[in-house]
Amino acid sequence: MKLSSIPKPDIKILAAAAAAAACIGAACLSYETIYKATPEYSFSRIVAAAQDGDSEALSLSADEDALAGQLFDSLIRRQQGQTAASRALLLPVKGEFIHACQTLLAGDSDEARLENAQKVFADTGSQAGLLLPASGWRYESSSWSRQDGSGYAQLTATFYNDSLQASIPITFQMEKVSARQWRVVAFADPDAVVQELQQAYETALTAANQPAVQRIESLIQATNLSATIVRSSVAQDAYLRIQYTPKLSAQGKETLREAKGRYELRRADSTVLFSAPIRIAIYADGKAHTSQFRLNAAVPAQAELLRTVTLEGLQSRISITSVQLQDGTRLELKDSLTN
């Protein structure tokens, strides 16, 4: 009887298998010793804690008080008429806002406390002229971090909000607290965060008002807008003078009784320097019409205008916010969104 021989092992296959095993081992080692020590990994754990409602892990991984305080300060800076003295009076309100943020992040089981925290959060945003949603957020993605070599890094993450229907990029400052752990300690630029929220809010508000805007613009438009600062030679009084041309359509001439709007002057970053209601001069159809507003040096934003030589680079606009027709029908734009 002839016995079959045992085949000799293929050296090439064994070598390939050994190489594959070595690569897998190296990858596992890299994951454990390199990736787990990166800001990206620590941030992924923070996101997981937030999604799981693990408030204890979240508090250990992020300085919630510092983040909430930065956000509050930036929102207050956007409010017209704020001075150093008035901001100092807001310190108790700041503490209430920080506490509200803690309650929202912890997901307090007490319904009354949770509702109060949502109200404080929303009211602070409303006072700054934007919608600050307390819910409806979800994490989308994050970029690779940028480390500066001194134990700090910046990482940008994007979060989507249902109420704003927009993705908001936020850059966080992270600090290395141990060989394998990083902690979020601040917003890299809190004003940029608020500006992103402002732009998303205005886009959402514009979309909500689009049907009414189209109907109003079919009746009347304000065109050829310009603005200048006019100073009195008698006193230190100064005025913001605007000129525009109201244009009524054929239908507007027949049906329009009155039109109201709002004039705004903004910086390129959307910060409002001046805002005032205005009655549109429908009687000046097709002709240049001039209006002016007295500036108040006690209001910081207006004091800045008083020191301005030219308005070049600033954005000036009139939004027609409501019209009333001869038959009593009124068309109005929403002035805000709700959560």
Side-chain angles (χ1 to χ4, degrees), residues 74-328:
S74 186
L75 289 168
I76 294 303
R77 281 195 291 271
R78 296 186 77 85
Q79 295 182 27
Q80 294 187 62
Q82 291 294 332
T83 63
S86 62
R87 283 195 292 271
L89 294 174
L90 288 172
L91 286 176
V93 182
K94 182 176 181 178
E96 187 180 9
F97 180 81
I98 291 173
H99 180 68
C101 291
Q102 292 171 338
T103 301
L104 292 171
L105 288 170
D108 200 308
S109 57
D110 187 301
E111 203 167 299
R113 279 201 296 264
L114 196 57
E115 285 182 3
N116 182 66
Q118 290 172 339
K119 184 178 185 304
V120 170
F121 197 75
D123 287 352
T124 305
S126 178
Q127 290 164 13
L130 54 82
L131 175 67
L132 194 59
S135 59
W137 291 95
R138 63 176 180 269
Y139 168 75
E140 284 191 322
S141 63
S142 60
S143 65
W144 291 106
S145 64
R146 301 181 300 278
Q147 299 186 39
D148 61 9
S150 64
Y152 288 91
Q154 289 188 358
L155 184 147
T156 300
T158 303
F159 301 86
Y160 183 85
N161 184 260
D162 295 328
S163 296
L164 295 173
Q165 297 185 0
S167 297
I168 308 296
I170 301 175
T171 301
F172 295 97
Q173 184 83 9
M174 300 185 71
E175 181 183 11
K176 192 171 187 177
V177 292
S178 70
R180 296 167 63 84
Q181 186 179 3
W182 293 75
R183 186 169 187 256
V184 169
V185 293
F187 292 116
D189 186 350
D191 290 343
V193 175
V194 173
Q195 186 177 340
E196 290 284 351
L197 289 168
Q198 176 81 33
Q199 291 173 348
Y201 171 71
E202 291 183 355
T203 299
L205 185 59
T206 297
N209 279 324
Q210 193 57 35
V213 168
Q214 290 175 342
R215 293 187 64 188
I216 290 173
E217 289 186 345
S218 71
L219 301 173
I220 183 172
Q221 296 183 37
T223 63
N224 304 324
L225 176 63
S226 62
T228 55
I229 300 292
V230 179
R231 292 175 171 80
S232 171
S233 58
V234 179
Q236 293 183 345
D237 290 347
Y239 298 86
L240 177 61
R241 179 175 294 174
I242 65 171
Q243 189 175 77
Y244 66 96
T245 302
K247 287 189 177 180
L248 279 68
S249 66
Q251 184 184 8
K253 292 175 183 178
E254 292 179 1
T255 63
L256 202 59
R257 176 183 293 175
E258 70 171 13
K260 296 179 181 179
R262 176 161 290 275
Y263 171 77
E264 288 185 340
L265 184 66
R266 299 181 175 220
R267 292 198 196 102
D269 66 358
S270 297
T271 300
V272 176
L273 295 176
F274 184 86
S275 178
I278 183 172
R279 185 178 293 273
I280 306 299
I282 60 176
Y283 56 82
D285 178 32
K287 301 176 183 177
H289 178 77
T290 300
S291 296
Q292 65 182 24
F293 312 93
R294 188 171 184 269
L295 296 174
N296 183 356
V299 178
Q302 294 184 32
E304 180 178 335
L305 286 177
L306 289 170
R307 296 190 297 268
T308 302
V309 177
T310 175
L311 300 183
E312 185 178 352
L314 301 181
Q315 300 168 354
S316 192
R317 74 176 183 183
I318 290 178
S319 302
I320 301 178
T321 55
S322 71
V323 297
Q324 185 174 12
L325 307 183
Q326 296 292 351
D327 64 3

Side-chain angles (χ1 to χ4, degrees), residues 42-89:
S42 290
F43 191 79
S44 72
R45 296 297 84 208
I46 295 172
V47 171
Q51 292 172 337
D52 294 342
D54 189 343
S55 57
E56 185 176 348
L58 196 59
S59 296
L60 293 172
S61 304
D63 191 337
E64 299 167 350
D65 289 5
L67 292 167
Q70 280 186 298
L71 182 58
F72 180 87
D73 290 341
S74 186
L75 289 168
I76 294 303
R77 281 195 291 271
R78 296 186 77 85
Q79 295 182 27
Q80 294 187 62
Q82 291 294 332
T83 63
S86 62
R87 283 195 292 271
L89 294 174

